[in-house]
Amino acid sequence: MRQLSQFLAKRFGQGVFVVWGVITAVFVLRGISPTNPAQLAAPTDATAEQIQQIAEELGLTRPIYEQYFAYLIEVAQGDLGYSYITSTPVAPQIFGKLGATIELAVFGILFALVLSIPLGVISSTRRNEAPDYVANLSSLVGVSTPNFWLAIMLVLLLSVQIDLLPTSGRPVGFLGVIGALAAFQIDPLVSWVSHMVLPTLALGTYLMALMTRLTRSGMIEELSKPYVQTNRAKGLPEVLNRYKHALRNSLAPVVTVVGLQLGRLIGGSVVIESVFAWPGIGSLFIRAVNTADWPIIQGTLIVVGIAYVLVNIGVDLVYAQLDPQVVVT
């Protein structure tokens, strides 16, 4: 327990430096941006004196180091500033949309896990047979297909041509579905599933293909090790030998990839959210970029950076549980 506490303290300490680096980077980006925040916040018919007054109110006329330290203090207090466009606090806007993004990322990973691990195991245990060829071909296609192109093709085929699934939107979230099921209402569940299918496929296909290849290569390596042959010689059922021992030992790199990809999916689902009009932080980020709303851009990047840190700490803990040779220090 003491070792775990030291590990968590060390990782959180390192995470603080990473988040500080993200905050500094986004502050510098805003500083070198050619846009004038005061002009963006001002009415279209504002005079030069009014724009100057707004710049003073926003603290933009203060020395740059004072602006930097004031911004650090505000972020440390959970204050991400106010939107230049709507003049509303940034933090509630981001956290109000974060749930939709996390929901999409989690179900994208679940989709990838459910398909990739069985495919990887089957491919590794039936090498040079039809299932192996199918798994290899599907993973190669999945890795080679850009997710934005896949998203557009899915919309054109399944929504526009066949009219099987809705093109966009998220009328109800996962928590809303749980509440509706508690009240014995099934329609929200049907609506949620129909709106989740296409974004989940578009977001999770690449990860599914990548994890299939990792699982296959890891299983091939583990199945060739002496302890697997020893288990077979002792009469251990092949199912236990594969799934309890070989699969578990081959999952460590898969878990690492899942952790890294979860952070990437949270921050990298911008295009997918835009294609499907998904009300997450990706869509919010795109709108902020289009309007040069720097407080929202900065806040979104900082939240994504914190998510990366937390996910990687969790991955290190799970990694140590899967591989006893890994010591959390």
Side-chain angles (χ1 to χ4, degrees):
M1 182 60 71
R2 181 181 177 184
Q3 195 176 33
L4 179 61
S5 301
Q6 291 176 341
F7 165 78
L8 290 175
K10 183 178 178 181
R11 284 291 189 271
F12 277 113
Q14 294 172 342
V16 169
F17 280 100
V18 173
V19 174
W20 170 73
V22 172
I23 295 172
T24 303
V26 297
F27 183 83
V28 171
L29 285 175
R30 192 194 71 176
I32 63 177
S33 169
T35 56
N36 183 357
Q39 197 163 20
L40 290 172
T44 54
D45 57 348
T47 63
E49 290 76 14
Q50 290 174 320
I51 293 175
Q52 178 63 24
Q53 184 180 357
I54 292 173
E56 292 175 358
E57 291 174 356
L58 292 175
L60 300 175
T61 57
R62 297 157 61 186
I64 192 69
Y65 68 88
E66 287 188 13
Q67 294 183 45
Y68 174 67
F69 286 112
Y71 186 66
L72 280 180
I73 293 172
E74 289 173 356
V75 172
Q77 295 173 342
D79 182 5
L80 298 176
Y82 287 78
S83 166
Y84 290 156
I85 307 303
T86 62
S87 300
T88 54
V90 168
Q93 292 188 58
I94 293 176
F95 289 112
K97 306 239 179 232
L98 186 60
T101 297
I102 292 177
E103 178 182 306
L104 182 58
V106 168
F107 280 92
I109 283 189
L110 287 177
F111 160 74
L113 281 172
V114 167
L115 287 182
S116 64
I117 292 180
L119 277 176
V121 173
I122 293 172
S123 178
S124 64
T125 55
R126 303 187 64 178
R127 296 176 64 185
N128 300 321
E129 297 180 15
D132 186 26
Y133 296 138
V134 171
N136 278 330
L137 180 61
S138 60
S139 63
L140 180 61
V141 171
V143 169
S144 307
T145 305
N147 58 7
F148 67 87
W149 182 85
L150 178 61
I152 295 172
M153 291 299 106
L154 288 172
V155 169
L156 290 176
L157 178 63
L158 298 179
S159 298
V160 177
Q161 295 294 330
I162 305 179
D163 196 21
L164 182 64
L165 295 167
T167 57
S168 61
R170 179 180 177 259
V172 60
F174 182 70
L175 295 180
V177 171
I178 298 298
L181 289 177
F184 303 103
Q185 297 175 358
I186 197 70
D187 289 345
L189 174 62
V190 175
S191 174
W192 178 77
V193 171
S194 64
H195 284 84
M196 281 292 294
V197 171
L198 295 186
T200 301
L201 284 175
L203 195 63
T205 295
Y206 171 82
L207 182 59
M208 182 272 292
L210 181 62
M211 289 167 58
T212 298
R213 298 173 77 88
L214 284 175
T215 304
R216 179 181 184 275
S217 61
M219 280 291 293
I220 290 174
E221 182 180 351
E222 289 298 325
L223 290 173
S224 65
K225 289 185 176 178
Y227 77 90
V228 174
Q229 307 301 326
T230 303
N231 288 338
R232 285 175 180 154
K234 289 181 177 179
L236 186 71
E238 189 61 24
V239 172
L240 291 179
N241 205 12
R242 289 178 185 173
Y243 292 94
K244 184 178 179 180
H245 299 287
L247 178 60
R248 172 175 175 161
N249 293 336
S250 67
L251 284 181
V254 176
V255 170
T256 302
V257 171
V258 169
L260 294 174
Q261 291 295 319
L262 179 58
R264 175 181 171 274
L265 291 182
I266 291 174
S269 60
V270 172
V271 176
I272 300 301
E273 290 188 5
S274 297
V275 171
F276 294 103
W278 192 259
I281 61 172
S283 298
L284 181 69
F285 182 79
I286 288 291
R287 286 197 297 272
V289 169
N290 289 333
T291 57
D293 197 350
W294 272 100
I296 288 184
I297 296 173
Q298 291 174 299
T300 304
L301 293 175
I302 291 169
V303 169
V304 170
I306 293 173
Y308 261 101
V309 170
L310 295 178
V311 167
N312 278 284
I313 292 174
V315 168
D316 287 341
L317 290 173
V318 175
Y319 200 92
Q321 293 297 318
L322 286 174
D323 189 351
Q325 295 179 335
V326 176
V327 180
V328 288
T329 57

